[in-house]
Amino acid sequence: MTPSQAPVDIDATLAALTLEEKASLLSGLNFWETQPVSRDNVSVPSMWVSDGPHGLRKQADEGDHLGLGNSVPATCFPTAAALGSTWDSDLLEQVGAALGRESKHHGVSVLLGPGANIKRDPRCGRNFEYLSEDPVLSGDLAAALIRGTQSQGVGTSLKHFAANNQEDDRMRVSAEVDERSLREIYLASFERAIAGGDPWTIMCSYNKINGTYASHNHWLLTEVLRQQWGWDGLVVSDWGAVRDRVAAVAAGLDLEMPGTGGRSDADIAAAVRDGSLDESVVDTAVRRVLHLINKTMPATQDRTPVDADAHHTLARQAAAAGVVLLRNEPVDGTQLLPLSPTQHIAVIGEFARTPRYQGAGSSQVNPTRLVSALHALSAHYDGTVTFAPGFTIAEGPEPEVTESELHDQAVAAARDADIAVVFLGLPAADESEGYDRTTISLPPVQLELLAAIHAVNPRVVVALANGSVVTVSEWQDHAPAIVEGWLGGQAGAEGLTDILTGASTPSGKLAETIPVRLHDVPAYENFPGGFGTVRYGEGIYVGYRWYERRDIAPAYPFGYGLSYTTFTVTDTSVTVTGTGADTNATVHATITNTGHRAGAHVLQVYVHDQDAPLDRPDKELKAFTKVHLAPGESTTVTLALDSRAFAFWHPAVGRWVVGGGQYQIAVGESSQAINATHTVTIDGEDVRLPVTDMSTMGELRKHPIVGGDITPLLDGLDPAFLAMVDDIPSTVFAGFGMSSLDADGLEKLIARANEGL
Ligand code: BGC
């Protein structure tokens, strides 16, 4: 957009545009710009959109959506995997604001992110771009990023809507998922991000949902998104996700990206002319485009320079906050972390010199700066740091010796040092947009090296670089201390170094479960599907919901992370007000830093519905907060739970229902470490299901209105026989002539049962 443009007069412009011009506004000019219109007195500027999500990828020259071409230098913030582990909405809002400032400096109207897809399976190649396996954590953190970016007048694009939980076959596969799982898990993450952040745009996904492409899905894009959730922004396609442009615009997809050289525009105009598409549908989409142009115009005219140093510092702070200390076992009575400044440290692993800090694909940022862990650690310790690469990675320098010599040199370096800090991780090619992983193990060459190092020096710290979970169980006996650094962005190595040295106290918590082995994961046999279909057979039991329900011990549970200080949680209490859909609860707790270092604690609130009329998870995260406390400091926190914290998606009535009965509210520091549990009683909603002649005798027997008529008919039946009768549809039972209930009687009874519904 050129500077000093006036806002578009939407009504006048819409009246003046030809049908062809309107259609042209609904698709891209190229990879990143929308089409302008400029003639006589009609002027609609184009808008520039860029990836996202953890940094700006503005391609000034040739564009592509695969992350191949170059882009302007921008701060590469930690990837969503690392940001998710911060559990820190305030921090993510600051990161979002920084992303917004960089976008507007480069004239970008919309930053394509954040991603709110649930990490359904650790094999998903793009998990590094997603925040969590839990919808409340994912939704709240996505909302924070959105609020931050949009506070700068730059739009966001919450993506990829919806059920895009794998990369294999992503452009074609149909996610076969029941509505309850969609609503409670997959859509819930987006719904919460929308409620808390109100993104100006949403990007639909490539895949189909139960047989219909997301881009053509009227139920998804209009009924759920707009009618039920009340969202009124613009829907943009994922790049190339539209198969039928007319079906897409009718479903509620406003903007197709990138452009198709006029083909889609012609399809839209032809459909309006032949009467198969109502012009008002096109007008609505055009209005949304014009509205977005106006909304983002002031920001794109504000080219305030970016403070790259300040953004790098923020990236470092965010990276440190996302590091999860998994293990810090004593060796000879002393914990290895934080590192002691007087030690001789052997830094081992090519990743220490050649950092892995972001994933592959459309999110790849050209960083303003990049610091290695070797550099950061050497800067911290004078002269006591030695380095051995130990193994090669594709991005690293050409090795001057053989792999086996690299191995031997690293083992020798570890032997000679007080402590070995070993940087392990996934090769870059293992994690990318566009394909999934088949294993969640680290490469054998790295594990062999680790075992050999541990054999000569048991004082081993492992620092991990990976965007999606890797197993640790097979090797953690060789690593008394483990820090999970994820893909931490351009300052990731410095953030990690801050944790290793103790300049920062670890406060990251797992936003996803680390399984013992791949065979334990919820979608093990249903990922990535085949022949164009993937079945979400685990239903709502995703992530920790699965491990808890199946009683499968994970290596490290959801919400887990150690610290260098200690906290106590006391005086917890829960107050409930209201009933049914108006139920609200407040959770109070006092948190005290009882250790000797400043640090942060994440308080997690889980809810379990004990008396539900259907199967519900043992624990579901419903609220969390992160508090920063000086040594000895205490604070009291209050967390609000609204009715959705208790509700389930009722498959028979197709809406959220708060069931009556007892609920357990657990306050904890991980999904498994619970500080206190409170049981509360909630007055649920009265759900009357419509009765039909296929309602069973059991259902009629328990019905609040007609149950009294049925019970006498079945009096005296043997319990085993009654159990069988209970399952017989009432029309079948009436037909048997076993009682006085006949077809006429049943019809009247049904009418009475349904009165007032
Ligand atoms: C990705 C999107 C990205 C778009 C533009 C697609 O391949 O799935 O996340 O925003 O390309 O680069």
Side-chain angles (χ1 to χ4, degrees), residues 32 51 57 64-65 112 126 129 159-160 170 203 206 238-239 362 433:
W32 307 118
D51 284 307
R57 185 173 72 99
D64 69 81
H65 64 300
L112 303 173
R126 213 174 179 184
E129 278 192 65
K159 63 191 187 182
H160 309 87
R170 66 173 168 159
M203 186 191 292
Y206 285 120
D238 199 343
W239 267 232
S362 62
E433 176 176 342

Side-chain angles (χ1 to χ4, degrees), residues 27-35 46-51 57-70 110 112 170-171 203 206 236-241 255-261 362 433:
S27 71
L29 174 69
N30 49 38
F31 255 89
W32 307 118
E33 287 173 285
T34 57
Q35 301 195 56
S46 67
M47 242 183 326
W48 193 296
V49 302
S50 280
D51 284 307
R57 185 173 72 99
K58 183 172 183 192
Q59 294 186 304
D61 308 321
E62 287 290 287
D64 69 81
H65 64 300
L66 301 173
L68 304 172
N70 218 349
V110 176
L112 303 173
R170 66 173 168 159
M171 298 196 177
M203 186 191 292
Y206 285 120
V236 58
S237 70
D238 199 343
W239 267 232
L255 178 63
E256 179 185 15
M257 288 299 285
T260 57
S362 62
E433 176 176 342

Side-chain angles (χ1 to χ4, degrees), residues 345-413:
I345 300 169
V347 173
I348 293 170
E350 184 56 53
F351 291 117
R353 176 169 60 182
T354 310
R356 252 214 90 205
Y357 61 101
Q358 63 176 337
S362 62
S363 67
Q364 271 190 89
V365 175
N366 175 13
T368 58
R369 225 192 268 186
L370 186 60
V371 181
S372 70
L374 179 58
H375 182 88
L377 274 167
S378 306
H380 194 88
Y381 295 109
D382 298 333
T384 50
V385 176
T386 48
F387 171 69
F391 52 87
T392 55
I393 55 174
E395 298 70 34
E398 275 294 312
E400 284 162 12
V401 294
T402 63
E403 287 283 346
S404 111
E405 282 165 325
L406 284 178
H407 174 105
D408 294 348
Q409 286 171 359
V411 174

